[in-house]
Amino acid sequence: MIYPRRLPVPHDPGPAFRALHIPGDPFILANAWDIGSAKMLAALGAQAIATSSAAHAFTLGRPDMGTVTRDEALSHASDLVAAVSVPVSGDFENGFGEAPETCAETVRLSCEAGLAGISIEDTALPDETPYEFDLSVDRIRAAAAAARALPRDFVLVARADGVMNGQYDLTEAIKRIQAYEAAGADCVYVPLPPKFGDLATICAATSLPVNALAAGPFAAHSRTEFAKSGVARISLGSALARATHKVIHDAATQMFTDGDFTSLTKGISGDVIDALLTK
């Protein structure tokens, strides 16, 4: 087994991460974007951390949707693994390539980086067009085979992003996640279906744990409501990062437009942050 130099002690985060996936009793998978945010979230009670492709891209001064390379994503992820003691999962977009073999290699490299699992979506980035059905299933089958061949446990999440991207309907999404289940995925994910009630339909369509996204209108719903739908985990995507960017946007607008600094009086104490970062 190969571990990156930044990972101080070889360990297997997979079993603990897998055990969190309980349908009807979802844990919150907190998406971080740097070491500091990961450490704060873990100190505040996150049971697991995930990267966010969009939020990571923002830290590099880039937009979302395929602008981060695999090497960059793996290096970023291994930094988070080394920074926290809870399991870390990678939001790895389309697996960083179209070919099933590329997805399989991404799984193997993710294990070496110390990740507890990753998600792979069916979008042919940088476009929003989905991969054709058979190819999308082959990609997950190859990734699942690679995951099962690893020397430790690893949770593979298969995403059907076409509903969120306006490329196919919920019927097609359910067809895809059922095929992903048959192909060996450990968890499935249909981000932001048309209605919150659709989550229950998605959960009923598969025997696998289902991930839901607390973003956009879905962020108005409580964990209890997500639990009633049957989901097993709730991720944040880039929603928390976007909330921090809104603070920057609004404060900067007031400063540079009106010379108004009052929004800066609402910040958290440095002592609180210091305590969380050293917890």
Side-chain angles (χ1 to χ4, degrees):
M1 189 184 306
I2 301 171
Y3 287 88
R5 287 189 298 272
R6 282 185 291 271
L7 190 60
V9 180
H11 65 290
D12 181 357
F17 188 51
R18 187 179 295 278
L20 292 172
H21 293 72
I22 304 173
D25 186 16
F27 73 100
I28 299 171
L29 182 61
N31 297 81
W33 52 93
D34 59 14
I35 292 172
S37 59
K39 292 184 72 171
M40 284 188 68
L41 288 165
L44 287 165
Q47 295 174 282
I49 298 293
T51 65
S52 162
S53 60
H56 181 205
F58 298 161
T59 69
L60 300 174
R62 304 172 195 167
D64 190 16
M65 300 293 284
T67 64
V68 176
T69 68
R70 182 166 67 183
D71 285 348
E72 288 173 327
L74 287 166
S75 177
H76 168 66
S78 65
D79 284 341
L80 302 194
V81 169
V84 298
S85 60
V86 298
V88 179
S89 182
D91 173 15
F92 280 179
E93 297 191 295
N94 67 340
F96 303 106
E98 176 177 309
E101 295 79 9
T102 301
C103 294
E105 181 65 10
T106 295
V107 166
R108 289 188 286 268
L109 293 171
S110 297
C111 177
E112 292 175 6
L115 289 168
I118 63 171
S119 62
I120 294 179
E121 65 190 61
D122 59 359
T123 309
L125 298 172
D127 297 326
E128 293 188 348
T129 305
Y131 291 115
E132 181 269 331
F133 178 84
D134 288 342
L135 175 58
S136 72
V137 176
D138 286 344
R139 286 160 38 81
I140 296 303
R141 183 178 293 110
R148 299 295 81 81
L150 295 173
R152 62 174 178 82
D153 198 10
F154 192 87
V155 177
L156 175 67
V157 181
R159 295 176 48 153
D161 278 29
V163 173
M164 179 176 66
N165 294 334
Q167 299 295 312
Y168 52 68
D169 62 14
L170 187 60
T171 299
E172 174 67 15
I174 289 175
K175 176 185 174 184
R176 288 184 177 231
I177 63 170
Q178 289 174 335
Y180 299 158
E181 177 176 0
D186 299 302
C187 176
V188 290
Y189 182 14
V190 182
L192 300 180
K195 306 184 300 294
F196 187 81
D198 292 329
L199 288 175
T201 302
I202 293 166
C203 291
T206 176
S207 65
L208 294 179
V210 172
N211 185 99
L213 177 62
F218 281 36
H221 295 270
S222 68
R223 178 187 174 277
T224 298
E225 292 175 281
F226 279 101
K228 288 179 179 178
S229 73
V231 303
R233 81 183 198 188
I234 305 165
S235 60
L236 312 178
S238 62
L240 185 58
R242 292 176 190 274
T244 66
H245 280 70
K246 185 178 189 305
V247 172
I248 297 171
H249 173 275
D250 292 352
T253 298
Q254 289 179 330
M255 287 188 292
F256 300 135
T257 301
D258 303 319
D260 180 355
F261 301 95
T262 56
S263 61
L264 302 183
T265 65
K266 302 174 183 178
I268 188 173
S269 166
D271 290 340
V272 174
I273 296 174
D274 291 345
L276 290 170
L277 295 178
T278 56
K279 188 171 181 179

